[in-house]
Amino acid sequence: MPMSAPRTSKPKSTARPGAKPQTIALGLSLQVGTGLTASCPDGQWPISRARLRRLVTASLDARTTSAQITLRLVGQAEGRQLNRDFRDKDYATNVLTFDYSGPPELAADIVICLPVIQKEAKAQKKTVDAHLVHMVVHGLLHACGLDHESDEEAEAMEALEVRILSRFRIANPYGTLGAS
């Protein structure tokens, strides 16, 4: 599912927990699908590009030397169509990750269905911002090869999400997990 060419920028020097600082060449493209004019006036993401760059960088695997990431917000219809086409599930889901190559040279499209995020945030009594940030991190961790098919995988992925989100002052989305 190729998206448009990402905008590239200067390499950033980053440090990961338990990893040596390294330089990452990051290309980040932000897209807004149709049907989101009320939520994204002028086609702008509700999170700043600078904050998204920090989120992406914080979420990358320590082995990553370069990353080409497209973050795309979509409406209900596009989210449902993509989920149907690629996962054979006939409903819109919160986040879909299309990873084309894993670390060290990561390439991925992360598609987030904003109406689903808004509905889930309300049901979970979270801000839309906190839930959207969480789903960006979640999608990026999938792009880095993490999954939650087994309980063990889920616990490891959730613990990592909690650690990353805490760096951005986002509360633990899973309650008590990783609180210690």
Side-chain angles (χ1 to χ4, degrees):
M1 185 183 113
M3 304 285 185
S4 67
R7 294 189 339 197
T8 58
S9 61
K10 292 174 140 181
K12 296 268 184 181
S13 177
T14 60
R16 308 269 184 281
K20 293 179 182 178
Q22 63 180 339
T23 300
I24 297 174
L26 174 61
L28 179 62
S29 173
L30 303 180
Q31 300 178 356
V32 176
T34 57
L36 293 176
T37 36
S39 300
C40 303
D42 300 321
Q44 296 297 307
W45 263 67
I47 301 173
S48 73
R49 174 175 283 279
R51 187 171 180 215
L52 285 166
R53 287 185 62 77
R54 290 190 304 273
L55 282 167
V56 169
T57 302
S59 301
L60 294 178
D61 184 289
R63 301 167 295 164
T64 305
T65 57
S66 68
Q68 295 295 317
I69 305 294
T70 297
L71 298 175
R72 180 173 174 82
L73 284 179
V74 299
Q76 193 83 22
E78 186 176 351
R80 181 179 180 185
Q81 184 69 48
L82 290 169
N83 204 24
R84 185 177 336 153
D85 291 350
F86 292 96
R87 296 180 63 226
D88 294 322
K89 299 186 186 243
D90 193 20
Y91 58 88
T93 189
N94 51 20
V95 61
L96 291 168
T97 298
F98 299 91
D99 55 331
Y100 306 113
S101 66
E105 296 177 356
L106 184 66
D109 295 337
I110 313 297
V111 179
I112 297 175
C113 185
L114 190 56
V116 172
I117 297 299
Q118 292 166 329
K119 183 179 177 182
E120 289 176 348
K122 184 176 181 178
Q124 297 170 20
K125 296 180 176 41
K126 300 175 185 175
T127 66
V128 171
D129 178 79
H131 195 43
L132 180 56
V133 165
H134 177 207
M135 291 300 101
V136 169
V137 170
H138 186 87
L140 287 161
L141 293 181
H142 276 304
C144 290
L146 279 77
D147 213 330
H148 44 79
E149 293 297 314
S150 71
D151 289 345
E152 186 176 279
E153 288 175 327
E155 287 177 20
M157 186 170 175
E158 290 169 5
L160 185 53
E161 288 172 0
V162 169
R163 281 198 307 271
I164 293 167
L165 293 170
S166 72
R167 293 175 56 188
F168 294 88
R169 297 186 174 148
I170 302 289
N172 179 345
Y174 301 106
T176 59
L177 175 74
S180 56

